[in-house]
């Protein structure tokens, strides 16, 4: 059992990065506003991302190197496209998840949002600086375990709740409108996690290989990835069910502000389940966002370090402390976004999310090319079912991306 737990790592970090604003806000909102009608969309989104996330994990397991190296072997454009996604979103995404986490802390402690954000970013820097990968690996296992248990308890408590509303007469928003389709595309695009996070998982896996005495076998890496991806998908479904069981049909209007939404999220649950339940809901929300901020706070500096080392010749001293330097600078940049652009954050997040979503078919195709190359070299054997699923999923991603662009232009 000790060896089994020790082998778990990058997959849990992937789950931690996935379970954030998309789960807490988007998944809950989808259930609250549309009910079970969006459950097939949620399941389809989780299924369509799986092949390409799996391909990145398989490539790393077989070649014992991260997919950025694989992209470089495919040519200049795959690497350039990923660089564009990475550097255009790192400050904004870290600021966004930190701001939502700070909103929860502020709700629980009455500390201002800015001070809460500063404390959260400082805590992340301290923990990651002190423990690097090992500290993140250990802490994330605890967080995801608690989060899974608390969220499941919340769902079980919500079963059979009477919202004093007639669902048969409840008029939910129209899905086949510009606003409805826009929400649907964004909802599916970020469930359970964007495909560009496959690079994060790949780099975490190579770091796990370096920092662990356990031999990295292909089956172990894939097993670990599956645990993380399935966990992220299941918890997304749990939050979706919470939205249906407690909020759907209640007539409550949810705020477009993530911070205000968190306060509504906790208060509505407490109103339905009782004030005693505020503890469970608050802890679930807090641990959800702590896991995300911690994982994202590590992922961006780690990828940035990898990119800089790949493209520039550094002195020994700078190279030794490059991760810590990147960690602090990215955290400072995220705080400046929170401090100076609080009212524009939603627009900036939409821009970064839109860019990541639009480029997801490219990254999916790059991951497919990496693994099909290994398949032709007979280093790995792909089943016809998985190949067919990847073609279907790629077509779906292209269709959703085009739809997203048309909605944006319209």
């Amino acid at each position: 059992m000790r060896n089994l737990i020790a082998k778990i790592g990058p997959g849990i970090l992937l789950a931690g990065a996935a379970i954030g604003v998309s789960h807490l806000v988007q998944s809950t909102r989808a259930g609250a506003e549309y009910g079970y009608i969006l459950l097939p969309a949620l399941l389809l989104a989780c299924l369509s991302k799986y092949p390409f996330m799996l391909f990145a994990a398989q490539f790393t397991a077989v070649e014992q190197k991260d997919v950025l190296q694989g992209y470089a072997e495919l040519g200049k454009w795959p690497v350039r496209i990923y660089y564009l996604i990475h550097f255009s979103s790192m400050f904004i995404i870290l600021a966004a998840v930190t701001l939502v986490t700070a909103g929860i802390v502020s709700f629980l402690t009455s500390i201002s949002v800015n001070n809460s954000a500063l404390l959260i970013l400082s805590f992340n820097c301290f923990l990651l600086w002190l423990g690097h990968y090992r500290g993140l690996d250990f802490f994330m296992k605890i967080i995801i375990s608690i989060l899974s248990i608390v969220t499941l308890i919340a769902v079980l408590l919500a079963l059979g709740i009477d919202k004093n509303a007639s669902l048969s007469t409840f008029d939910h928003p129209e899905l086949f409108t510009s606003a409805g389709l826009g929400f649907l595309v964004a909802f599916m695009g970020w469930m359970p996690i964007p495909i560009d996070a496959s690079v994060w998982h790949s780099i975490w896996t190579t770091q796990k290989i370096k920092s662990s005495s356990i031999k990295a076998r292909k089956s172990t890496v894939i097993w670990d990835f599956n645990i993380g991806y399935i966990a992220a998908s299941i918890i997304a479904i749990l939050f979706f069910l919470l939205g249906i069981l407690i909020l759907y049909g209640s007539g409550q209007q949810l705020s477009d502000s993530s911070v205000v939404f968190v306060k509504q999220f906790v208060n509505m649950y407490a109103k339905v389940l009782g004030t005693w339940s505020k503890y469970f809901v608050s802890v679930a929300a807090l641990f959800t966002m702590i896991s995300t901020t911690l994982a994202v706070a590590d992922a961006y500096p780690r990828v940035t370090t990898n990119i800089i080392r790949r493209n520039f010749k550094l002195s020994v001293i700078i190279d030794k402390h490059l991760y810590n330097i990147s960690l602090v600078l990215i955290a400072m940049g995220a705080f400046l976004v929170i401090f100076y652009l609080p009212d524009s954050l939603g627009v900036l997040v939409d821009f970064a999310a839109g860019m990541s979503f639009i480029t997801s078919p490219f990254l999916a195709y790059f991951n497919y090319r990496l693994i099909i190359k290994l398949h032709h070299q007979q280093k790995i054997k792909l089943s016809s079912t998985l190949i067919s699923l990847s073609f279907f999923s790629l077509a779906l991603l292209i269709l959703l991306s085009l739809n997203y662009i048309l909605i944006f232009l319209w």
Side-chain angles (χ1 to χ4, degrees), residues 323-380:
Y323 171 82
N324 292 336
I325 295 172
S326 301
L327 175 66
V328 173
L329 291 178
I330 293 174
M332 290 174 61
F335 181 75
L336 289 175
V337 172
I338 294 173
F339 187 80
Y340 286 107
L341 299 173
D343 297 330
S344 303
L345 192 60
V347 176
L348 296 174
V349 171
D350 288 342
F351 172 77
M355 177 176 291
S356 178
F357 183 68
I358 291 171
T359 55
S360 62
F362 294 97
L363 296 181
Y365 175 66
F366 298 154
N367 288 354
Y368 171 79
R369 284 190 58 189
L370 289 178
I371 204 66
I372 206 69
K373 180 180 178 181
L374 297 183
H375 177 70
H376 291 156
Q377 294 174 347
Q378 297 185 342
K379 293 183 178 180
I380 192 171

Short mmCIF file of all heavy atoms in Angstrom, two decimals, residues 323-380:
data_model
loop_
_atom_site.label_atom_id
_atom_site.label_comp_id
_atom_site.label_asym_id
_atom_site.label_seq_id
_atom_site.Cartn_x
_atom_site.Cartn_y
_atom_site.Cartn_z
N TYR A 323 13.44 27.94 -11.18
CA TYR A 323 12.06 27.62 -10.79
C TYR A 323 11.56 28.60 -9.73
O TYR A 323 10.45 29.13 -9.83
CB TYR A 323 11.97 26.19 -10.26
CG TYR A 323 10.64 25.86 -9.65
CD1 TYR A 323 9.55 25.49 -10.44
CD2 TYR A 323 10.45 25.93 -8.27
CE1 TYR A 323 8.31 25.20 -9.88
CE2 TYR A 323 9.21 25.64 -7.70
CZ TYR A 323 8.16 25.29 -8.51
OH TYR A 323 6.93 25.00 -7.94
N ASN A 324 12.38 28.86 -8.71
CA ASN A 324 11.97 29.77 -7.65
C ASN A 324 11.76 31.19 -8.17
O ASN A 324 10.83 31.88 -7.77
CB ASN A 324 13.02 29.79 -6.53
CG ASN A 324 13.08 28.47 -5.78
OD1 ASN A 324 12.10 27.73 -5.76
ND2 ASN A 324 14.21 28.18 -5.17
N ILE A 325 12.63 31.61 -9.09
CA ILE A 325 12.49 32.94 -9.68
C ILE A 325 11.19 33.04 -10.47
O ILE A 325 10.43 34.00 -10.34
CB ILE A 325 13.70 33.27 -10.58
CG1 ILE A 325 14.99 33.36 -9.75
CG2 ILE A 325 13.47 34.57 -11.34
CD1 ILE A 325 16.25 33.48 -10.58
N SER A 326 10.93 32.02 -11.29
CA SER A 326 9.69 32.00 -12.09
C SER A 326 8.47 31.96 -11.19
O SER A 326 7.45 32.63 -11.45
CB SER A 326 9.69 30.79 -13.02
OG SER A 326 10.80 30.82 -13.90
N LEU A 327 8.55 31.19 -10.11
CA LEU A 327 7.45 31.07 -9.17
C LEU A 327 7.06 32.42 -8.57
O LEU A 327 5.89 32.81 -8.56
CB LEU A 327 7.84 30.09 -8.05
CG LEU A 327 6.85 29.90 -6.90
CD1 LEU A 327 5.56 29.26 -7.39
CD2 LEU A 327 7.49 29.05 -5.80
N VAL A 328 8.06 33.15 -8.10
CA VAL A 328 7.81 34.44 -7.46
C VAL A 328 7.31 35.47 -8.48
O VAL A 328 6.36 36.21 -8.23
CB VAL A 328 9.08 34.95 -6.76
CG1 VAL A 328 8.88 36.38 -6.25
CG2 VAL A 328 9.46 34.03 -5.61
N LEU A 329 7.94 35.51 -9.65
CA LEU A 329 7.56 36.51 -10.67
C LEU A 329 6.14 36.28 -11.18
O LEU A 329 5.37 37.24 -11.36
CB LEU A 329 8.55 36.48 -11.83
CG LEU A 329 9.97 37.00 -11.54
CD1 LEU A 329 10.85 36.86 -12.76
CD2 LEU A 329 9.91 38.45 -11.07
N ILE A 330 5.76 35.03 -11.41
CA ILE A 330 4.41 34.74 -11.89
C ILE A 330 3.38 35.04 -10.80
O ILE A 330 2.29 35.57 -11.09
CB ILE A 330 4.31 33.28 -12.37
CG1 ILE A 330 5.18 33.08 -13.61
CG2 ILE A 330 2.87 32.90 -12.68
CD1 ILE A 330 5.27 31.66 -14.09
N ALA A 331 3.71 34.73 -9.55
CA ALA A 331 2.81 35.06 -8.44
C ALA A 331 2.64 36.57 -8.31
O ALA A 331 1.52 37.07 -8.09
CB ALA A 331 3.34 34.48 -7.14
N MET A 332 3.73 37.31 -8.46
CA MET A 332 3.64 38.78 -8.41
C MET A 332 2.79 39.32 -9.55
O MET A 332 1.97 40.23 -9.36
CB MET A 332 5.05 39.38 -8.45
CG MET A 332 5.87 39.14 -7.20
SD MET A 332 7.58 39.72 -7.37
CE MET A 332 7.31 41.48 -7.67
N GLY A 333 2.98 38.76 -10.75
CA GLY A 333 2.19 39.19 -11.89
C GLY A 333 0.71 38.92 -11.68
O GLY A 333 -0.15 39.76 -12.02
N ALA A 334 0.38 37.76 -11.11
CA ALA A 334 -1.02 37.43 -10.84
C ALA A 334 -1.62 38.39 -9.82
O ALA A 334 -2.78 38.82 -9.96
CB ALA A 334 -1.12 35.99 -10.34
N PHE A 335 -0.85 38.74 -8.80
CA PHE A 335 -1.37 39.66 -7.79
C PHE A 335 -1.60 41.05 -8.37
O PHE A 335 -2.58 41.72 -8.03
CB PHE A 335 -0.40 39.75 -6.60
CG PHE A 335 -0.89 40.68 -5.51
CD1 PHE A 335 -1.92 40.29 -4.68
CD2 PHE A 335 -0.33 41.94 -5.35
CE1 PHE A 335 -2.39 41.15 -3.68
CE2 PHE A 335 -0.79 42.80 -4.37
CZ PHE A 335 -1.83 42.40 -3.53
N LEU A 336 -0.71 41.48 -9.26
CA LEU A 336 -0.89 42.78 -9.89
C LEU A 336 -2.16 42.81 -10.74
O LEU A 336 -2.86 43.83 -10.80
CB LEU A 336 0.33 43.13 -10.75
CG LEU A 336 1.61 43.45 -9.97
CD1 LEU A 336 2.78 43.67 -10.93
CD2 LEU A 336 1.42 44.68 -9.09
N VAL A 337 -2.46 41.69 -11.41
CA VAL A 337 -3.70 41.61 -12.18
C VAL A 337 -4.90 41.76 -11.25
O VAL A 337 -5.86 42.49 -11.54
CB VAL A 337 -3.78 40.27 -12.95
CG1 VAL A 337 -5.14 40.09 -13.59
CG2 VAL A 337 -2.70 40.21 -14.01
N ILE A 338 -4.86 41.08 -10.11
CA ILE A 338 -5.95 41.16 -9.14
C ILE A 338 -6.08 42.58 -8.58
O ILE A 338 -7.18 43.12 -8.43
CB ILE A 338 -5.72 40.16 -7.98
CG1 ILE A 338 -5.81 38.73 -8.50
CG2 ILE A 338 -6.74 40.38 -6.86
CD1 ILE A 338 -5.42 37.68 -7.48
N PHE A 339 -4.93 43.19 -8.30
CA PHE A 339 -4.93 44.50 -7.64
C PHE A 339 -5.36 45.63 -8.57
O PHE A 339 -6.14 46.50 -8.19
CB PHE A 339 -3.53 44.79 -7.08
CG PHE A 339 -3.46 46.03 -6.23
CD1 PHE A 339 -3.89 45.99 -4.91
CD2 PHE A 339 -2.99 47.22 -6.75
CE1 PHE A 339 -3.83 47.13 -4.13
CE2 PHE A 339 -2.93 48.36 -5.97
CZ PHE A 339 -3.36 48.32 -4.66
N TYR A 340 -4.86 45.61 -9.80
CA TYR A 340 -5.10 46.73 -10.71
C TYR A 340 -6.28 46.54 -11.66
O TYR A 340 -6.82 47.51 -12.17
CB TYR A 340 -3.85 47.02 -11.54
CG TYR A 340 -2.75 47.68 -10.74
CD1 TYR A 340 -1.62 46.97 -10.37
CD2 TYR A 340 -2.86 49.01 -10.35
CE1 TYR A 340 -0.60 47.57 -9.63
CE2 TYR A 340 -1.85 49.62 -9.61
CZ TYR A 340 -0.72 48.90 -9.25
OH TYR A 340 0.26 49.49 -8.52
N LEU A 341 -6.66 45.29 -11.93
CA LEU A 341 -7.72 45.05 -12.90
C LEU A 341 -8.84 44.17 -12.34
O LEU A 341 -9.23 43.18 -12.97
CB LEU A 341 -7.15 44.39 -14.16
CG LEU A 341 -6.09 45.19 -14.93
CD1 LEU A 341 -5.50 44.34 -16.04
CD2 LEU A 341 -6.69 46.47 -15.50
N PRO A 342 -9.36 44.50 -11.17
CA PRO A 342 -10.41 43.64 -10.61
C PRO A 342 -11.69 43.64 -11.42
O PRO A 342 -12.37 42.62 -11.52
CB PRO A 342 -10.64 44.25 -9.21
CG PRO A 342 -10.23 45.68 -9.37
CD PRO A 342 -9.09 45.69 -10.34
N ASP A 343 -12.02 44.77 -12.03
CA ASP A 343 -13.27 44.87 -12.80
C ASP A 343 -13.16 44.28 -14.20
O ASP A 343 -14.17 44.01 -14.84
CB ASP A 343 -13.71 46.34 -12.90
CG ASP A 343 -14.02 46.95 -11.54
OD1 ASP A 343 -14.43 46.18 -10.65
OD2 ASP A 343 -13.82 48.17 -11.38
N SER A 344 -11.93 44.11 -14.69
CA SER A 344 -11.72 43.59 -16.04
C SER A 344 -11.32 42.12 -16.04
O SER A 344 -11.06 41.56 -17.09
CB SER A 344 -10.63 44.40 -16.76
OG SER A 344 -10.98 45.77 -16.80
N LEU A 345 -11.28 41.53 -14.86
CA LEU A 345 -10.76 40.17 -14.76
C LEU A 345 -11.62 39.18 -15.54
O LEU A 345 -11.11 38.28 -16.20
CB LEU A 345 -10.68 39.75 -13.29
CG LEU A 345 -9.90 38.46 -13.00
CD1 LEU A 345 -8.47 38.59 -13.47
CD2 LEU A 345 -9.95 38.14 -11.52
N GLY A 346 -12.94 39.37 -15.49
CA GLY A 346 -13.82 38.45 -16.21
C GLY A 346 -13.57 38.46 -17.69
O GLY A 346 -13.54 37.42 -18.34
N VAL A 347 -13.35 39.65 -18.25
CA VAL A 347 -13.06 39.77 -19.68
C VAL A 347 -11.74 39.11 -20.01
O VAL A 347 -11.61 38.40 -21.02
CB VAL A 347 -13.04 41.26 -20.09
CG1 VAL A 347 -12.65 41.40 -21.55
CG2 VAL A 347 -14.39 41.90 -19.83
N LEU A 348 -10.74 39.33 -19.17
CA LEU A 348 -9.42 38.75 -19.41
C LEU A 348 -9.46 37.23 -19.32
O LEU A 348 -8.83 36.53 -20.13
CB LEU A 348 -8.41 39.30 -18.40
CG LEU A 348 -8.12 40.81 -18.50
CD1 LEU A 348 -7.22 41.25 -17.35
CD2 LEU A 348 -7.48 41.15 -19.84
N VAL A 349 -10.21 36.72 -18.36
CA VAL A 349 -10.33 35.26 -18.22
C VAL A 349 -11.04 34.68 -19.43
O VAL A 349 -10.63 33.63 -19.96
CB VAL A 349 -11.09 34.90 -16.92
CG1 VAL A 349 -11.42 33.41 -16.89
CG2 VAL A 349 -10.25 35.28 -15.71
N ASP A 350 -12.10 35.35 -19.89
CA ASP A 350 -12.81 34.87 -21.08
C ASP A 350 -11.88 34.84 -22.29
O ASP A 350 -11.93 33.92 -23.11
CB ASP A 350 -14.00 35.77 -21.38
CG ASP A 350 -15.13 35.58 -20.38
OD1 ASP A 350 -15.13 34.54 -19.69
OD2 ASP A 350 -16.00 36.47 -20.28
N PHE A 351 -11.01 35.86 -22.38
CA PHE A 351 -10.06 35.91 -23.49
C PHE A 351 -9.08 34.73 -23.42
O PHE A 351 -8.85 34.04 -24.43
CB PHE A 351 -9.28 37.22 -23.45
CG PHE A 351 -8.15 37.30 -24.44
CD1 PHE A 351 -8.40 37.55 -25.78
CD2 PHE A 351 -6.84 37.11 -24.02
CE1 PHE A 351 -7.36 37.61 -26.69
CE2 PHE A 351 -5.79 37.17 -24.92
CZ PHE A 351 -6.06 37.42 -26.26
N ALA A 352 -8.50 34.51 -22.23
CA ALA A 352 -7.54 33.42 -22.08
C ALA A 352 -8.21 32.06 -22.27
O ALA A 352 -7.66 31.17 -22.93
CB ALA A 352 -6.89 33.49 -20.69
N ALA A 353 -9.40 31.91 -21.71
CA ALA A 353 -10.12 30.65 -21.86
C ALA A 353 -10.50 30.40 -23.31
O ALA A 353 -10.40 29.27 -23.81
CB ALA A 353 -11.38 30.66 -20.98
N GLY A 354 -10.93 31.47 -23.99
CA GLY A 354 -11.29 31.34 -25.39
C GLY A 354 -10.10 30.94 -26.24
O GLY A 354 -10.21 30.09 -27.12
N MET A 355 -8.94 31.54 -25.97
CA MET A 355 -7.74 31.19 -26.73
C MET A 355 -7.35 29.74 -26.50
O MET A 355 -7.02 28.99 -27.43
CB MET A 355 -6.58 32.11 -26.33
CG MET A 355 -5.27 31.76 -27.03
SD MET A 355 -3.94 32.91 -26.65
CE MET A 355 -4.54 34.39 -27.47
N SER A 356 -7.40 29.32 -25.24
CA SER A 356 -7.07 27.93 -24.93
C SER A 356 -8.04 26.97 -25.59
O SER A 356 -7.65 25.92 -26.11
CB SER A 356 -7.08 27.73 -23.41
OG SER A 356 -6.80 26.40 -23.08
N PHE A 357 -9.33 27.36 -25.59
CA PHE A 357 -10.34 26.48 -26.16
C PHE A 357 -10.20 26.38 -27.68
O PHE A 357 -10.30 25.30 -28.26
CB PHE A 357 -11.72 26.99 -25.78
CG PHE A 357 -12.84 26.12 -26.27
CD1 PHE A 357 -13.02 24.85 -25.74
CD2 PHE A 357 -13.71 26.55 -27.25
CE1 PHE A 357 -14.04 24.04 -26.18
CE2 PHE A 357 -14.73 25.75 -27.70
CZ PHE A 357 -14.90 24.50 -27.16
N ILE A 358 -9.96 27.52 -28.32
CA ILE A 358 -9.84 27.54 -29.78
C ILE A 358 -8.64 26.73 -30.25
O ILE A 358 -8.67 26.09 -31.30
CB ILE A 358 -9.75 28.99 -30.28
CG1 ILE A 358 -11.09 29.70 -30.08
CG2 ILE A 358 -9.36 29.05 -31.75
CD1 ILE A 358 -11.04 31.19 -30.34
N THR A 359 -7.56 26.77 -29.46
CA THR A 359 -6.35 26.04 -29.84
C THR A 359 -6.37 24.58 -29.40
O THR A 359 -5.45 23.83 -29.74
CB THR A 359 -5.11 26.73 -29.24
OG1 THR A 359 -5.27 26.84 -27.81
CG2 THR A 359 -4.91 28.11 -29.83
N SER A 360 -7.40 24.16 -28.66
CA SER A 360 -7.43 22.78 -28.18
C SER A 360 -7.41 21.74 -29.31
O SER A 360 -6.76 20.69 -29.15
CB SER A 360 -8.65 22.56 -27.28
OG SER A 360 -9.86 22.77 -27.98
N PRO A 361 -8.07 21.98 -30.47
CA PRO A 361 -7.95 20.98 -31.54
C PRO A 361 -6.52 20.82 -32.04
O PRO A 361 -6.11 19.72 -32.43
CB PRO A 361 -8.86 21.55 -32.64
CG PRO A 361 -9.84 22.40 -31.93
CD PRO A 361 -9.07 23.01 -30.81
N PHE A 362 -5.75 21.93 -32.05
CA PHE A 362 -4.35 21.84 -32.47
C PHE A 362 -3.56 20.95 -31.53
O PHE A 362 -2.82 20.05 -31.96
CB PHE A 362 -3.73 23.24 -32.54
CG PHE A 362 -4.29 24.13 -33.59
CD1 PHE A 362 -5.27 25.06 -33.28
CD2 PHE A 362 -3.87 24.03 -34.90
CE1 PHE A 362 -5.80 25.89 -34.25
CE2 PHE A 362 -4.39 24.86 -35.89
CZ PHE A 362 -5.36 25.79 -35.56
N LEU A 363 -3.70 21.20 -30.21
CA LEU A 363 -2.95 20.41 -29.23
C LEU A 363 -3.42 18.95 -29.23
O LEU A 363 -2.60 18.04 -29.04
CB LEU A 363 -3.10 21.01 -27.84
CG LEU A 363 -2.53 22.42 -27.67
CD1 LEU A 363 -2.73 22.92 -26.24
CD2 LEU A 363 -1.05 22.46 -28.03
N ALA A 364 -4.71 18.75 -29.44
CA ALA A 364 -5.22 17.38 -29.54
C ALA A 364 -4.58 16.67 -30.73
O ALA A 364 -4.16 15.50 -30.63
CB ALA A 364 -6.74 17.40 -29.68
N TYR A 365 -4.48 17.37 -31.85
CA TYR A 365 -3.86 16.79 -33.04
C TYR A 365 -2.37 16.53 -32.81
O TYR A 365 -1.85 15.48 -33.23
CB TYR A 365 -4.06 17.72 -34.22
CG TYR A 365 -3.36 17.27 -35.49
CD1 TYR A 365 -3.75 16.11 -36.15
CD2 TYR A 365 -2.30 18.01 -36.01
CE1 TYR A 365 -3.11 15.69 -37.30
CE2 TYR A 365 -1.65 17.60 -37.17
CZ TYR A 365 -2.06 16.44 -37.81
OH TYR A 365 -1.41 16.02 -38.94
N PHE A 366 -1.68 17.44 -32.13
CA PHE A 366 -0.25 17.25 -31.86
C PHE A 366 -0.04 16.01 -30.98
O PHE A 366 0.87 15.21 -31.23
CB PHE A 366 0.33 18.48 -31.17
CG PHE A 366 0.27 19.74 -32.00
CD1 PHE A 366 0.23 20.99 -31.38
CD2 PHE A 366 0.24 19.68 -33.37
CE1 PHE A 366 0.16 22.15 -32.14
CE2 PHE A 366 0.17 20.84 -34.15
CZ PHE A 366 0.13 22.07 -33.52
N ASN A 367 -0.88 15.86 -29.96
CA ASN A 367 -0.75 14.69 -29.08
C ASN A 367 -1.04 13.40 -29.85
O ASN A 367 -0.41 12.36 -29.61
CB ASN A 367 -1.71 14.82 -27.89
CG ASN A 367 -1.27 15.87 -26.89
OD1 ASN A 367 -0.20 16.45 -27.00
ND2 ASN A 367 -2.12 16.14 -25.90
N TYR A 368 -2.00 13.48 -30.77
CA TYR A 368 -2.30 12.32 -31.59
C TYR A 368 -1.10 11.97 -32.48
O TYR A 368 -0.74 10.78 -32.61
CB TYR A 368 -3.54 12.59 -32.46
CG TYR A 368 -3.79 11.53 -33.50
CD1 TYR A 368 -4.40 10.33 -33.14
CD2 TYR A 368 -3.41 11.72 -34.83
CE1 TYR A 368 -4.62 9.34 -34.10
CE2 TYR A 368 -3.64 10.75 -35.78
CZ TYR A 368 -4.24 9.55 -35.41
OH TYR A 368 -4.45 8.57 -36.35
N ARG A 369 -0.48 12.97 -33.07
CA ARG A 369 0.68 12.72 -33.93
C ARG A 369 1.84 12.10 -33.14
O ARG A 369 2.56 11.23 -33.65
CB ARG A 369 1.14 14.02 -34.59
CG ARG A 369 0.26 14.47 -35.75
CD ARG A 369 0.89 15.61 -36.49
NE ARG A 369 2.22 15.27 -37.01
CZ ARG A 369 3.06 16.14 -37.55
NH1 ARG A 369 2.71 17.43 -37.64
NH2 ARG A 369 4.24 15.76 -38.00
N LEU A 370 2.01 12.55 -31.90
CA LEU A 370 3.09 11.99 -31.07
C LEU A 370 2.87 10.50 -30.84
O LEU A 370 3.81 9.70 -30.95
CB LEU A 370 3.16 12.72 -29.73
CG LEU A 370 3.67 14.15 -29.73
CD1 LEU A 370 3.63 14.73 -28.32
CD2 LEU A 370 5.09 14.22 -30.29
N ILE A 371 1.64 10.13 -30.50
CA ILE A 371 1.40 8.75 -30.14
C ILE A 371 1.31 7.86 -31.37
O ILE A 371 1.69 6.68 -31.34
CB ILE A 371 0.12 8.63 -29.27
CG1 ILE A 371 0.17 7.37 -28.42
CG2 ILE A 371 -1.12 8.65 -30.13
CD1 ILE A 371 1.26 7.39 -27.38
N ILE A 372 0.81 8.40 -32.49
CA ILE A 372 0.71 7.58 -33.71
C ILE A 372 2.11 7.30 -34.26
O ILE A 372 2.36 6.26 -34.89
CB ILE A 372 -0.20 8.26 -34.76
CG1 ILE A 372 -0.81 7.19 -35.70
CG2 ILE A 372 0.57 9.28 -35.58
CD1 ILE A 372 -1.81 6.30 -35.02
N LYS A 373 3.03 8.22 -34.01
CA LYS A 373 4.42 8.01 -34.40
C LYS A 373 5.02 6.83 -33.63
O LYS A 373 5.71 5.97 -34.20
CB LYS A 373 5.24 9.27 -34.13
CG LYS A 373 6.70 9.16 -34.50
CD LYS A 373 7.42 10.47 -34.20
CE LYS A 373 8.91 10.37 -34.52
NZ LYS A 373 9.63 11.64 -34.19
N LEU A 374 4.73 6.77 -32.33
CA LEU A 374 5.20 5.64 -31.52
C LEU A 374 4.50 4.35 -31.94
O LEU A 374 5.11 3.26 -31.89
CB LEU A 374 4.94 5.91 -30.03
CG LEU A 374 5.65 7.10 -29.40
CD1 LEU A 374 5.34 7.18 -27.91
CD2 LEU A 374 7.16 7.01 -29.62
N HIS A 375 3.27 4.47 -32.36
CA HIS A 375 2.52 3.30 -32.83
C HIS A 375 3.16 2.73 -34.09
O HIS A 375 3.32 1.50 -34.23
CB HIS A 375 1.06 3.70 -33.10
CG HIS A 375 0.22 2.59 -33.65
ND1 HIS A 375 -0.16 1.49 -32.90
CD2 HIS A 375 -0.32 2.40 -34.90
CE1 HIS A 375 -0.89 0.68 -33.65
NE2 HIS A 375 -1.01 1.21 -34.87
N HIS A 376 3.55 3.59 -35.00
CA HIS A 376 4.21 3.14 -36.23
C HIS A 376 5.59 2.57 -35.95
O HIS A 376 6.07 1.68 -36.67
CB HIS A 376 4.31 4.31 -37.22
CG HIS A 376 2.98 4.72 -37.78
ND1 HIS A 376 2.73 5.98 -38.28
CD2 HIS A 376 1.80 4.04 -37.89
CE1 HIS A 376 1.47 6.06 -38.68
NE2 HIS A 376 0.88 4.90 -38.46
N GLN A 377 6.25 3.08 -34.91
CA GLN A 377 7.57 2.56 -34.53
C GLN A 377 7.45 1.30 -33.69
O GLN A 377 8.47 0.77 -33.24
CB GLN A 377 8.34 3.62 -33.76
CG GLN A 377 8.69 4.86 -34.58
CD GLN A 377 9.33 5.96 -33.75
OE1 GLN A 377 9.30 5.94 -32.51
NE2 GLN A 377 9.89 6.95 -34.42
N GLN A 378 6.22 0.86 -33.43
CA GLN A 378 5.92 -0.33 -32.65
C GLN A 378 6.41 -0.23 -31.21
O GLN A 378 6.70 -1.25 -30.57
CB GLN A 378 6.51 -1.58 -33.33
CG GLN A 378 5.91 -1.85 -34.70
CD GLN A 378 6.43 -3.15 -35.32
OE1 GLN A 378 7.45 -3.68 -34.90
NE2 GLN A 378 5.71 -3.64 -36.32
N LYS A 379 6.49 1.00 -30.71
CA LYS A 379 6.83 1.20 -29.30
C LYS A 379 5.59 1.12 -28.41
O LYS A 379 5.69 0.97 -27.20
CB LYS A 379 7.51 2.56 -29.11
CG LYS A 379 8.88 2.66 -29.75
CD LYS A 379 9.50 4.02 -29.46
CE LYS A 379 10.90 4.11 -30.07
NZ LYS A 379 11.54 5.44 -29.79
N ILE A 380 4.43 1.27 -29.04
CA ILE A 380 3.16 1.18 -28.33
C ILE A 380 2.11 0.69 -29.32
O ILE A 380 2.22 0.94 -30.53
CB ILE A 380 2.77 2.56 -27.74
CG1 ILE A 380 1.61 2.39 -26.77
CG2 ILE A 380 2.41 3.56 -28.84
CD1 ILE A 380 1.30 3.66 -25.99
#
